[in-house]
Amino acid sequence: NAGVTQTPKFQVLKTGQSMTLQCAQDMNHEYMSWYRQDPGMGLRLIHYSVGAGITDQGEVPNGYNVSRSTTEDFPLRLLSAAPSQTSVYFCASTRGALTEAFFGQGTRLTVV
Amino acid sequence: SQELEQSPQSLIVQEGKNLTINCTSSKTLYGLYWYKQKYGEGLIFLMMLQKGGEEKSHEKITAKLDEKKQQSSLHITASQPSHAGIYLCGAVPSGRDDKIIFGKGTRLHILP
């Protein structure tokens, strides 16, 4: 049982480049979320989804797009990377409200 | 918007000593999570509290949610080096059970 899988684990981008961070879960969870973690800032919610076809903005959505075409996948897109997006990104999934959130191992992104 | 305040931000404790980490919300919580993160790694679920006055324990870690459901404390008894890491509280805002908002975390160091 893989749980929540994030790819890639590490990535270096040049300013202005685009890329997609992948997140997949095999637990048939309805809720999925993307967070970024910066030193001293804890986890900040970027976007989240309560099911296929449904997404909503979190605390820091600017510069990021998401889509949820399947229950399993929730990719995060950076359309034009900026140095301020240098961070560690975590994807999480939950079966539903007030249940344990399972986290991926994170993607460390550096934008130069 | 929901805000979570964790205190202290950082804590250095002698091995074997007890310690407490607090998490305070500006609004009533629907649910409260505690997670632990080893430096540079993913998040480990500790426990979730939902009812006012609820208390849960896992090994030497005890967490409690106050009656008003606006403050939670995490207590570690007889700390060990394995307890070192970042402790994060996450809240499910009242009325919105589809997302989890996290505090900035408490860094715990254990001195041998």
Side-chain angles (χ1 to χ4, degrees):
Chain A
N1 194 346
V4 180
T5 303
Q6 289 184 236
T7 55
K9 287 186 170 53
F10 301 93
Q11 183 71 48
V12 178
L13 285 180
K14 292 183 179 179
T15 298
Q17 284 185 318
S18 63
M19 80 159 295
T20 299
L21 278 62
Q22 301 291 344
C23 175
Q25 53 92 8
D26 61 359
M27 298 171 282
N28 202 31
H29 284 175
E30 288 297 321
Y31 293 7
M32 295 186 75
S33 305
W34 275 103
Y35 295 87
R36 60 178 288 173
Q37 186 176 34
D38 303 293
M41 295 299 292
L43 290 173
R44 290 184 291 171
L45 182 64
I46 305 172
H47 285 285
Y48 62 104
S49 168
V50 297
I54 306 169
T55 63
D56 205 347
Q57 295 182 349
E59 302 168 281
V60 288
N62 292 339
Y64 307 95
N65 283 348
V66 292
S67 60
R68 185 96 180 271
S69 56
T70 67
T71 300
E72 295 78 19
D73 300 299
F74 191 41
L76 179 71
R77 297 183 185 85
L78 284 71
L79 298 179
S80 179
S84 60
Q85 293 178 305
T86 293
S87 187
V88 181
Y89 291 84
F90 287 97
C91 177
S93 75
T94 61
R95 177 167 44 85
L98 295 173
T99 59
E100 178 183 346
F102 292 81
F103 284 81
Q105 286 301 300
T107 295
R108 188 173 294 274
L109 175 68
T110 302
V111 182
V112 297
Chain B
S1 62
Q2 189 88 33
E3 287 188 6
L4 285 180
E5 195 75 29
Q6 277 189 245
S7 62
Q9 292 182 0
S10 180
L11 192 56
I12 302 173
V13 174
Q14 195 77 40
E15 182 178 353
K17 297 294 186 182
N18 303 336
L19 63 106
T20 299
I21 298 169
N22 294 302
C23 178
T24 302
S25 170
S26 57
K27 299 180 181 179
T28 301
L29 302 169
Y30 196 32
L32 191 287
Y33 293 82
W34 282 102
Y35 279 83
K36 177 189 172 184
Q37 183 181 27
K38 285 282 192 185
Y39 296 114
E41 298 181 12
L43 281 79
I44 302 167
F45 174 78
L46 295 176
M47 55 197 88
M48 189 197 74
L49 306 165
Q50 187 179 354
K51 300 176 183 176
E54 186 176 10
E55 183 173 309
K56 288 186 177 180
S57 294
H58 175 68
E59 297 178 343
K60 294 185 178 181
I61 301 176
T62 300
K64 184 174 181 179
L65 184 62
D66 74 341
E67 292 289 343
K68 292 184 177 179
K69 296 174 65 174
Q70 285 190 261
Q71 185 168 18
S72 178
S73 58
L74 184 85
H75 185 77
I76 298 177
T77 304
S79 57
Q80 301 169 348
S82 61
H83 288 129
I86 300 172
Y87 288 81
L88 292 152
C89 68
V92 178
S94 290
R96 292 298 304 268
D97 62 1
D98 52 358
K99 60 183 179 180
I100 307 171
I101 304 297
F102 284 89
K104 294 184 178 181
T106 294
R107 287 181 171 268
L108 174 62
H109 302 275
I110 307 294
L111 297 177

PDB file of all heavy atoms in Angstrom, chain A residues 6-40:
ATOM      1  N   GLN A   6       4.448  11.400  -3.976  1.00  0.00           N
ATOM      2  CA  GLN A   6       4.759  12.662  -4.627  1.00  0.00           C
ATOM      3  C   GLN A   6       5.988  12.495  -5.521  1.00  0.00           C
ATOM      4  O   GLN A   6       6.960  11.853  -5.139  1.00  0.00           O
ATOM      5  CB  GLN A   6       5.080  13.746  -3.590  1.00  0.00           C
ATOM      6  CG  GLN A   6       3.906  14.230  -2.801  1.00  0.00           C
ATOM      7  CD  GLN A   6       4.290  15.369  -1.876  1.00  0.00           C
ATOM      8  OE1 GLN A   6       4.085  15.288  -0.671  1.00  0.00           O
ATOM      9  NE2 GLN A   6       4.849  16.441  -2.432  1.00  0.00           N
ATOM     10  N   THR A   7       5.900  13.092  -6.704  1.00  0.00           N
ATOM     11  CA  THR A   7       7.066  13.127  -7.587  1.00  0.00           C
ATOM     12  C   THR A   7       7.167  14.489  -8.239  1.00  0.00           C
ATOM     13  O   THR A   7       6.137  15.119  -8.525  1.00  0.00           O
ATOM     14  CB  THR A   7       6.960  12.043  -8.690  1.00  0.00           C
ATOM     15  OG1 THR A   7       5.726  12.219  -9.391  1.00  0.00           O
ATOM     16  CG2 THR A   7       7.067  10.650  -8.111  1.00  0.00           C
ATOM     17  N   PRO A   8       8.379  14.998  -8.482  1.00  0.00           N
ATOM     18  CA  PRO A   8       9.653  14.413  -8.058  1.00  0.00           C
ATOM     19  C   PRO A   8       9.931  14.713  -6.580  1.00  0.00           C
ATOM     20  O   PRO A   8       9.192  15.456  -5.953  1.00  0.00           O
ATOM     21  CB  PRO A   8      10.656  15.130  -8.956  1.00  0.00           C
ATOM     22  CG  PRO A   8      10.057  16.493  -9.136  1.00  0.00           C
ATOM     23  CD  PRO A   8       8.567  16.275  -9.194  1.00  0.00           C
ATOM     24  N   LYS A   9      10.997  14.190  -6.043  1.00  0.00           N
ATOM     25  CA  LYS A   9      11.402  14.497  -4.678  1.00  0.00           C
ATOM     26  C   LYS A   9      12.195  15.800  -4.612  1.00  0.00           C
ATOM     27  O   LYS A   9      12.136  16.543  -3.632  1.00  0.00           O
ATOM     28  CB  LYS A   9      12.233  13.363  -4.095  1.00  0.00           C
ATOM     29  CG  LYS A   9      11.439  12.115  -3.747  1.00  0.00           C
ATOM     30  CD  LYS A   9      12.289  11.082  -3.049  1.00  0.00           C
ATOM     31  CE  LYS A   9      11.456   9.950  -2.480  1.00  0.00           C
ATOM     32  NZ  LYS A   9      10.555   9.327  -3.479  1.00  0.00           N
ATOM     33  N   PHE A  10      12.948  16.058  -5.643  1.00  0.00           N
ATOM     34  CA  PHE A  10      13.749  17.286  -5.737  1.00  0.00           C
ATOM     35  C   PHE A  10      13.593  17.872  -7.139  1.00  0.00           C
ATOM     36  O   PHE A  10      13.484  17.123  -8.110  1.00  0.00           O
ATOM     37  CB  PHE A  10      15.240  17.007  -5.474  1.00  0.00           C
ATOM     38  CG  PHE A  10      15.525  16.407  -4.130  1.00  0.00           C
ATOM     39  CD1 PHE A  10      15.599  15.035  -3.980  1.00  0.00           C
ATOM     40  CD2 PHE A  10      15.718  17.213  -3.029  1.00  0.00           C
ATOM     41  CE1 PHE A  10      15.862  14.463  -2.749  1.00  0.00           C
ATOM     42  CE2 PHE A  10      15.983  16.656  -1.788  1.00  0.00           C
ATOM     43  CZ  PHE A  10      16.063  15.281  -1.648  1.00  0.00           C
ATOM     44  N   GLN A  11      13.625  19.194  -7.214  1.00  0.00           N
ATOM     45  CA  GLN A  11      13.532  19.854  -8.514  1.00  0.00           C
ATOM     46  C   GLN A  11      14.155  21.234  -8.426  1.00  0.00           C
ATOM     47  O   GLN A  11      13.919  21.964  -7.447  1.00  0.00           O
ATOM     48  CB  GLN A  11      12.080  19.974  -8.963  1.00  0.00           C
ATOM     49  CG  GLN A  11      11.881  20.584 -10.328  1.00  0.00           C
ATOM     50  CD  GLN A  11      12.313  19.667 -11.447  1.00  0.00           C
ATOM     51  OE1 GLN A  11      11.967  18.486 -11.481  1.00  0.00           O
ATOM     52  NE2 GLN A  11      13.110  20.202 -12.363  1.00  0.00           N
ATOM     53  N   VAL A  12      14.943  21.577  -9.453  1.00  0.00           N
ATOM     54  CA  VAL A  12      15.477  22.929  -9.572  1.00  0.00           C
ATOM     55  C   VAL A  12      14.921  23.525 -10.860  1.00  0.00           C
ATOM     56  O   VAL A  12      15.005  22.908 -11.915  1.00  0.00           O
ATOM     57  CB  VAL A  12      17.021  22.930  -9.614  1.00  0.00           C
ATOM     58  CG1 VAL A  12      17.524  24.356  -9.784  1.00  0.00           C
ATOM     59  CG2 VAL A  12      17.599  22.309  -8.348  1.00  0.00           C
ATOM     60  N   LEU A  13      14.340  24.699 -10.740  1.00  0.00           N
ATOM     61  CA  LEU A  13      13.760  25.389 -11.891  1.00  0.00           C
ATOM     62  C   LEU A  13      14.405  26.749 -12.070  1.00  0.00           C
ATOM     63  O   LEU A  13      14.859  27.356 -11.094  1.00  0.00           O
ATOM     64  CB  LEU A  13      12.260  25.612 -11.678  1.00  0.00           C
ATOM     65  CG  LEU A  13      11.295  24.461 -11.815  1.00  0.00           C
ATOM     66  CD1 LEU A  13       9.875  24.946 -11.552  1.00  0.00           C
ATOM     67  CD2 LEU A  13      11.383  23.819 -13.194  1.00  0.00           C
ATOM     68  N   LYS A  14      14.381  27.214 -13.300  1.00  0.00           N
ATOM     69  CA  LYS A  14      14.797  28.574 -13.550  1.00  0.00           C
ATOM     70  C   LYS A  14      13.559  29.469 -13.490  1.00  0.00           C
ATOM     71  O   LYS A  14      12.439  29.031 -13.810  1.00  0.00           O
ATOM     72  CB  LYS A  14      15.463  28.692 -14.904  1.00  0.00           C
ATOM     73  CG  LYS A  14      16.812  27.981 -14.982  1.00  0.00           C
ATOM     74  CD  LYS A  14      17.460  28.191 -16.337  1.00  0.00           C
ATOM     75  CE  LYS A  14      18.813  27.492 -16.396  1.00  0.00           C
ATOM     76  NZ  LYS A  14      19.456  27.660 -17.724  1.00  0.00           N
ATOM     77  N   THR A  15      13.747  30.697 -13.094  1.00  0.00           N
ATOM     78  CA  THR A  15      12.640  31.651 -13.043  1.00  0.00           C
ATOM     79  C   THR A  15      11.930  31.694 -14.390  1.00  0.00           C
ATOM     80  O   THR A  15      12.568  31.801 -15.446  1.00  0.00           O
ATOM     81  CB  THR A  15      13.156  33.048 -12.673  1.00  0.00           C
ATOM     82  OG1 THR A  15      13.754  32.987 -11.367  1.00  0.00           O
ATOM     83  CG2 THR A  15      12.044  34.062 -12.661  1.00  0.00           C
ATOM     84  N   GLY A  16      10.605  31.593 -14.335  1.00  0.00           N
ATOM     85  CA  GLY A  16       9.806  31.644 -15.551  1.00  0.00           C
ATOM     86  C   GLY A  16       9.444  30.280 -16.124  1.00  0.00           C
ATOM     87  O   GLY A  16       8.529  30.178 -16.957  1.00  0.00           O
ATOM     88  N   GLN A  17      10.132  29.238 -15.699  1.00  0.00           N
ATOM     89  CA  GLN A  17       9.807  27.900 -16.192  1.00  0.00           C
ATOM     90  C   GLN A  17       8.511  27.414 -15.547  1.00  0.00           C
ATOM     91  O   GLN A  17       8.102  27.878 -14.490  1.00  0.00           O
ATOM     92  CB  GLN A  17      10.937  26.919 -15.879  1.00  0.00           C
ATOM     93  CG  GLN A  17      12.149  27.066 -16.770  1.00  0.00           C
ATOM     94  CD  GLN A  17      13.190  25.997 -16.502  1.00  0.00           C
ATOM     95  OE1 GLN A  17      13.473  25.643 -15.349  1.00  0.00           O
ATOM     96  NE2 GLN A  17      13.788  25.483 -17.581  1.00  0.00           N
ATOM     97  N   SER A  18       7.907  26.459 -16.225  1.00  0.00           N
ATOM     98  CA  SER A  18       6.699  25.848 -15.670  1.00  0.00           C
ATOM     99  C   SER A  18       6.972  24.393 -15.336  1.00  0.00           C
ATOM    100  O   SER A  18       7.894  23.783 -15.888  1.00  0.00           O
ATOM    101  CB  SER A  18       5.552  25.946 -16.667  1.00  0.00           C
ATOM    102  OG  SER A  18       5.866  25.210 -17.841  1.00  0.00           O
ATOM    103  N   MET A  19       6.200  23.875 -14.412  1.00  0.00           N
ATOM    104  CA  MET A  19       6.310  22.460 -14.100  1.00  0.00           C
ATOM    105  C   MET A  19       5.084  22.008 -13.324  1.00  0.00           C
ATOM    106  O   MET A  19       4.311  22.840 -12.822  1.00  0.00           O
ATOM    107  CB  MET A  19       7.560  22.145 -13.290  1.00  0.00           C
ATOM    108  CG  MET A  19       7.477  22.429 -11.816  1.00  0.00           C
ATOM    109  SD  MET A  19       8.695  21.513 -10.852  1.00  0.00           S
ATOM    110  CE  MET A  19       8.184  19.811 -11.099  1.00  0.00           C
ATOM    111  N   THR A  20       4.927  20.701 -13.243  1.00  0.00           N
ATOM    112  CA  THR A  20       3.823  20.107 -12.505  1.00  0.00           C
ATOM    113  C   THR A  20       4.372  19.182 -11.437  1.00  0.00           C
ATOM    114  O   THR A  20       5.188  18.304 -11.735  1.00  0.00           O
ATOM    115  CB  THR A  20       2.890  19.320 -13.430  1.00  0.00           C
ATOM    116  OG1 THR A  20       2.346  20.203 -14.405  1.00  0.00           O
ATOM    117  CG2 THR A  20       1.757  18.686 -12.634  1.00  0.00           C
ATOM    118  N   LEU A  21       3.927  19.389 -10.211  1.00  0.00           N
ATOM    119  CA  LEU A  21       4.238  18.478  -9.117  1.00  0.00           C
ATOM    120  C   LEU A  21       3.114  17.446  -9.060  1.00  0.00           C
ATOM    121  O   LEU A  21       1.932  17.803  -9.012  1.00  0.00           O
ATOM    122  CB  LEU A  21       4.315  19.221  -7.780  1.00  0.00           C
ATOM    123  CG  LEU A  21       5.622  19.951  -7.439  1.00  0.00           C
ATOM    124  CD1 LEU A  21       5.908  21.047  -8.438  1.00  0.00           C
ATOM    125  CD2 LEU A  21       5.548  20.526  -6.039  1.00  0.00           C
ATOM    126  N   GLN A  22       3.524  16.184  -9.080  1.00  0.00           N
ATOM    127  CA  GLN A  22       2.529  15.128  -9.101  1.00  0.00           C
ATOM    128  C   GLN A  22       2.215  14.623  -7.698  1.00  0.00           C
ATOM    129  O   GLN A  22       3.097  14.548  -6.839  1.00  0.00           O
ATOM    130  CB  GLN A  22       3.027  13.963  -9.959  1.00  0.00           C
ATOM    131  CG  GLN A  22       3.343  14.316 -11.396  1.00  0.00           C
ATOM    132  CD  GLN A  22       2.105  14.655 -12.201  1.00  0.00           C
ATOM    133  OE1 GLN A  22       0.976  14.353 -11.797  1.00  0.00           O
ATOM    134  NE2 GLN A  22       2.296  15.296 -13.354  1.00  0.00           N
ATOM    135  N   CYS A  23       0.952  14.272  -7.489  1.00  0.00           N
ATOM    136  CA  CYS A  23       0.522  13.664  -6.234  1.00  0.00           C
ATOM    137  C   CYS A  23      -0.507  12.596  -6.561  1.00  0.00           C
ATOM    138  O   CYS A  23      -1.479  12.879  -7.260  1.00  0.00           O
ATOM    139  CB  CYS A  23      -0.072  14.698  -5.297  1.00  0.00           C
ATOM    140  SG  CYS A  23      -0.744  13.982  -3.770  1.00  0.00           S
ATOM    141  N   ALA A  24      -0.281  11.403  -6.061  1.00  0.00           N
ATOM    142  CA  ALA A  24      -1.224  10.305  -6.280  1.00  0.00           C
ATOM    143  C   ALA A  24      -1.430   9.555  -4.980  1.00  0.00           C
ATOM    144  O   ALA A  24      -0.493   9.347  -4.212  1.00  0.00           O
ATOM    145  CB  ALA A  24      -0.683   9.360  -7.359  1.00  0.00           C
ATOM    146  N   GLN A  25      -2.681   9.147  -4.751  1.00  0.00           N
ATOM    147  CA  GLN A  25      -2.990   8.331  -3.573  1.00  0.00           C
ATOM    148  C   GLN A  25      -3.796   7.115  -3.994  1.00  0.00           C
ATOM    149  O   GLN A  25      -4.609   7.191  -4.906  1.00  0.00           O
ATOM    150  CB  GLN A  25      -3.720   9.157  -2.491  1.00  0.00           C
ATOM    151  CG  GLN A  25      -4.944   9.902  -2.963  1.00  0.00           C
ATOM    152  CD  GLN A  25      -6.237   9.149  -2.814  1.00  0.00           C
ATOM    153  OE1 GLN A  25      -6.297   8.065  -2.210  1.00  0.00           O
ATOM    154  NE2 GLN A  25      -7.321   9.730  -3.361  1.00  0.00           N
ATOM    155  N   ASP A  26      -3.567   6.010  -3.308  1.00  0.00           N
ATOM    156  CA  ASP A  26      -4.212   4.745  -3.671  1.00  0.00           C
ATOM    157  C   ASP A  26      -5.156   4.268  -2.578  1.00  0.00           C
ATOM    158  O   ASP A  26      -5.424   3.068  -2.457  1.00  0.00           O
ATOM    159  CB  ASP A  26      -3.162   3.686  -3.990  1.00  0.00           C
ATOM    160  CG  ASP A  26      -2.253   3.377  -2.809  1.00  0.00           C
ATOM    161  OD1 ASP A  26      -2.420   4.009  -1.737  1.00  0.00           O
ATOM    162  OD2 ASP A  26      -1.365   2.527  -2.938  1.00  0.00           O
ATOM    163  N   MET A  27      -5.645   5.211  -1.764  1.00  0.00           N
ATOM    164  CA  MET A  27      -6.512   4.849  -0.647  1.00  0.00           C
ATOM    165  C   MET A  27      -7.977   5.207  -0.912  1.00  0.00           C
ATOM    166  O   MET A  27      -8.817   5.102  -0.017  1.00  0.00           O
ATOM    167  CB  MET A  27      -6.019   5.562   0.619  1.00  0.00           C
ATOM    168  CG  MET A  27      -4.608   5.138   1.019  1.00  0.00           C
ATOM    169  SD  MET A  27      -3.912   6.132   2.349  1.00  0.00           S
ATOM    170  CE  MET A  27      -3.432   7.603   1.464  1.00  0.00           C
ATOM    171  N   ASN A  28      -8.265   5.667  -2.113  1.00  0.00           N
ATOM    172  CA  ASN A  28      -9.616   6.067  -2.489  1.00  0.00           C
ATOM    173  C   ASN A  28     -10.144   7.201  -1.603  1.00  0.00           C
ATOM    174  O   ASN A  28     -11.341   7.252  -1.292  1.00  0.00           O
ATOM    175  CB  ASN A  28     -10.573   4.868  -2.438  1.00  0.00           C
ATOM    176  CG  ASN A  28     -11.803   5.092  -3.299  1.00  0.00           C
ATOM    177  OD1 ASN A  28     -11.742   5.775  -4.319  1.00  0.00           O
ATOM    178  ND2 ASN A  28     -12.922   4.544  -2.881  1.00  0.00           N
ATOM    179  N   HIS A  29      -9.240   8.104  -1.234  1.00  0.00           N
ATOM    180  CA  HIS A  29      -9.628   9.230  -0.396  1.00  0.00           C
ATOM    181  C   HIS A  29     -10.295  10.315  -1.227  1.00  0.00           C
ATOM    182  O   HIS A  29      -9.878  10.616  -2.354  1.00  0.00           O
ATOM    183  CB  HIS A  29      -8.394   9.815   0.299  1.00  0.00           C
ATOM    184  CG  HIS A  29      -7.923   8.987   1.446  1.00  0.00           C
ATOM    185  ND1 HIS A  29      -6.763   9.286   2.146  1.00  0.00           N
ATOM    186  CD2 HIS A  29      -8.454   7.894   2.048  1.00  0.00           C
ATOM    187  CE1 HIS A  29      -6.602   8.392   3.113  1.00  0.00           C
ATOM    188  NE2 HIS A  29      -7.613   7.540   3.064  1.00  0.00           N
ATOM    189  N   GLU A  30     -11.310  10.936  -0.639  1.00  0.00           N
ATOM    190  CA  GLU A  30     -12.018  11.997  -1.339  1.00  0.00           C
ATOM    191  C   GLU A  30     -11.281  13.337  -1.258  1.00  0.00           C
ATOM    192  O   GLU A  30     -11.254  14.090  -2.207  1.00  0.00           O
ATOM    193  CB  GLU A  30     -13.420  12.156  -0.750  1.00  0.00           C
ATOM    194  CG  GLU A  30     -14.370  11.019  -1.096  1.00  0.00           C
ATOM    195  CD  GLU A  30     -14.637  10.927  -2.594  1.00  0.00           C
ATOM    196  OE1 GLU A  30     -14.772  11.989  -3.240  1.00  0.00           O
ATOM    197  OE2 GLU A  30     -14.686   9.798  -3.126  1.00  0.00           O
ATOM    198  N   TYR A  31     -10.733  13.638  -0.080  1.00  0.00           N
ATOM    199  CA  TYR A  31     -10.127  14.952   0.132  1.00  0.00           C
ATOM    200  C   TYR A  31      -8.634  14.897  -0.162  1.00  0.00           C
ATOM    201  O   TYR A  31      -7.929  14.002   0.301  1.00  0.00           O
ATOM    202  CB  TYR A  31     -10.296  15.397   1.590  1.00  0.00           C
ATOM    203  CG  TYR A  31     -11.712  15.695   2.037  1.00  0.00           C
ATOM    204  CD1 TYR A  31     -12.811  15.450   1.238  1.00  0.00           C
ATOM    205  CD2 TYR A  31     -11.934  16.231   3.303  1.00  0.00           C
ATOM    206  CE1 TYR A  31     -14.089  15.726   1.673  1.00  0.00           C
ATOM    207  CE2 TYR A  31     -13.203  16.520   3.756  1.00  0.00           C
ATOM    208  CZ  TYR A  31     -14.285  16.261   2.938  1.00  0.00           C
ATOM    209  OH  TYR A  31     -15.548  16.532   3.383  1.00  0.00           O
ATOM    210  N   MET A  32      -8.154  15.881  -0.929  1.00  0.00           N
ATOM    211  CA  MET A  32      -6.718  16.013  -1.162  1.00  0.00           C
ATOM    212  C   MET A  32      -6.331  17.485  -1.066  1.00  0.00           C
ATOM    213  O   MET A  32      -7.129  18.373  -1.374  1.00  0.00           O
ATOM    214  CB  MET A  32      -6.328  15.458  -2.537  1.00  0.00           C
ATOM    215  CG  MET A  32      -6.561  13.951  -2.657  1.00  0.00           C
ATOM    216  SD  MET A  32      -5.953  13.249  -4.192  1.00  0.00           S
ATOM    217  CE  MET A  32      -4.165  13.229  -3.905  1.00  0.00           C
ATOM    218  N   SER A  33      -5.097  17.726  -0.635  1.00  0.00           N
ATOM    219  CA  SER A  33      -4.636  19.095  -0.394  1.00  0.00           C
ATOM    220  C   SER A  33      -3.175  19.244  -0.763  1.00  0.00           C
ATOM    221  O   SER A  33      -2.425  18.261  -0.749  1.00  0.00           O
ATOM    222  CB  SER A  33      -4.775  19.454   1.103  1.00  0.00           C
ATOM    223  OG  SER A  33      -6.081  19.262   1.569  1.00  0.00           O
ATOM    224  N   TRP A  34      -2.810  20.478  -1.076  1.00  0.00           N
ATOM    225  CA  TRP A  34      -1.407  20.835  -1.285  1.00  0.00           C
ATOM    226  C   TRP A  34      -1.011  21.907  -0.272  1.00  0.00           C
ATOM    227  O   TRP A  34      -1.738  22.881  -0.070  1.00  0.00           O
ATOM    228  CB  TRP A  34      -1.171  21.392  -2.688  1.00  0.00           C
ATOM    229  CG  TRP A  34      -0.942  20.357  -3.729  1.00  0.00           C
ATOM    230  CD1 TRP A  34      -1.824  19.918  -4.676  1.00  0.00           C
ATOM    231  CD2 TRP A  34       0.274  19.633  -3.947  1.00  0.00           C
ATOM    232  NE1 TRP A  34      -1.229  18.961  -5.461  1.00  0.00           N
ATOM    233  CE2 TRP A  34       0.056  18.773  -5.033  1.00  0.00           C
ATOM    234  CE3 TRP A  34       1.520  19.623  -3.329  1.00  0.00           C
ATOM    235  CZ2 TRP A  34       1.043  17.904  -5.521  1.00  0.00           C
ATOM    236  CZ3 TRP A  34       2.502  18.775  -3.800  1.00  0.00           C
ATOM    237  CH2 TRP A  34       2.256  17.921  -4.896  1.00  0.00           C
ATOM    238  N   TYR A  35       0.154  21.702   0.346  1.00  0.00           N
ATOM    239  CA  TYR A  35       0.716  22.658   1.291  1.00  0.00           C
ATOM    240  C   TYR A  35       2.133  23.006   0.865  1.00  0.00           C
ATOM    241  O   TYR A  35       2.804  22.223   0.220  1.00  0.00           O
ATOM    242  CB  TYR A  35       0.796  22.066   2.700  1.00  0.00           C
ATOM    243  CG  TYR A  35      -0.535  21.749   3.346  1.00  0.00           C
ATOM    244  CD1 TYR A  35      -1.153  20.527   3.134  1.00  0.00           C
ATOM    245  CD2 TYR A  35      -1.160  22.672   4.183  1.00  0.00           C
ATOM    246  CE1 TYR A  35      -2.365  20.223   3.738  1.00  0.00           C
ATOM    247  CE2 TYR A  35      -2.363  22.379   4.793  1.00  0.00           C
ATOM    248  CZ  TYR A  35      -2.966  21.152   4.572  1.00  0.00           C
ATOM    249  OH  TYR A  35      -4.160  20.864   5.172  1.00  0.00           O
ATOM    250  N   ARG A  36       2.572  24.179   1.293  1.00  0.00           N
ATOM    251  CA  ARG A  36       3.972  24.493   1.180  1.00  0.00           C
ATOM    252  C   ARG A  36       4.513  24.775   2.583  1.00  0.00           C
ATOM    253  O   ARG A  36       3.793  25.277   3.449  1.00  0.00           O
ATOM    254  CB  ARG A  36       4.229  25.689   0.258  1.00  0.00           C
ATOM    255  CG  ARG A  36       3.588  26.982   0.649  1.00  0.00           C
ATOM    256  CD  ARG A  36       3.957  28.103  -0.315  1.00  0.00           C
ATOM    257  NE  ARG A  36       5.359  28.519  -0.141  1.00  0.00           N
ATOM    258  CZ  ARG A  36       5.970  29.385  -0.947  1.00  0.00           C
ATOM    259  NH1 ARG A  36       5.337  29.935  -1.961  1.00  0.00           N
ATOM    260  NH2 ARG A  36       7.240  29.712  -0.730  1.00  0.00           N
ATOM    261  N   GLN A  37       5.771  24.398   2.780  1.00  0.00           N
ATOM    262  CA  GLN A  37       6.402  24.592   4.079  1.00  0.00           C
ATOM    263  C   GLN A  37       7.667  25.403   3.916  1.00  0.00           C
ATOM    264  O   GLN A  37       8.591  25.007   3.197  1.00  0.00           O
ATOM    265  CB  GLN A  37       6.724  23.249   4.750  1.00  0.00           C
ATOM    266  CG  GLN A  37       7.259  23.402   6.162  1.00  0.00           C
ATOM    267  CD  GLN A  37       7.481  22.072   6.844  1.00  0.00           C
ATOM    268  OE1 GLN A  37       7.849  21.080   6.221  1.00  0.00           O
ATOM    269  NE2 GLN A  37       7.233  22.019   8.155  1.00  0.00           N
ATOM    270  N   ASP A  38       7.695  26.540   4.571  1.00  0.00           N
ATOM    271  CA  ASP A  38       8.854  27.421   4.563  1.00  0.00           C
ATOM    272  C   ASP A  38       9.371  27.557   5.996  1.00  0.00           C
ATOM    273  O   ASP A  38       8.596  27.436   6.945  1.00  0.00           O
ATOM    274  CB  ASP A  38       8.462  28.782   3.990  1.00  0.00           C
ATOM    275  CG  ASP A  38       7.887  28.662   2.595  1.00  0.00           C
ATOM    276  OD1 ASP A  38       8.653  28.299   1.686  1.00  0.00           O
ATOM    277  OD2 ASP A  38       6.685  28.910   2.422  1.00  0.00           O
ATOM    278  N   PRO A  39      10.653  27.834   6.155  1.00  0.00           N
ATOM    279  CA  PRO A  39      11.227  27.940   7.504  1.00  0.00           C
ATOM    280  C   PRO A  39      10.443  28.907   8.384  1.00  0.00           C
ATOM    281  O   PRO A  39      10.203  30.056   8.001  1.00  0.00           O
ATOM    282  CB  PRO A  39      12.646  28.444   7.231  1.00  0.00           C
ATOM    283  CG  PRO A  39      12.963  27.956   5.860  1.00  0.00           C
ATOM    284  CD  PRO A  39      11.660  28.019   5.103  1.00  0.00           C
ATOM    285  N   GLY A  40      10.036  28.436   9.551  1.00  0.00           N
ATOM    286  CA  GLY A  40       9.331  29.297  10.497  1.00  0.00           C
ATOM    287  C   GLY A  40       7.883  29.588  10.151  1.00  0.00           C
ATOM    288  O   GLY A  40       7.228  30.361  10.851  1.00  0.00           O
TER     289      GLY A  40
END
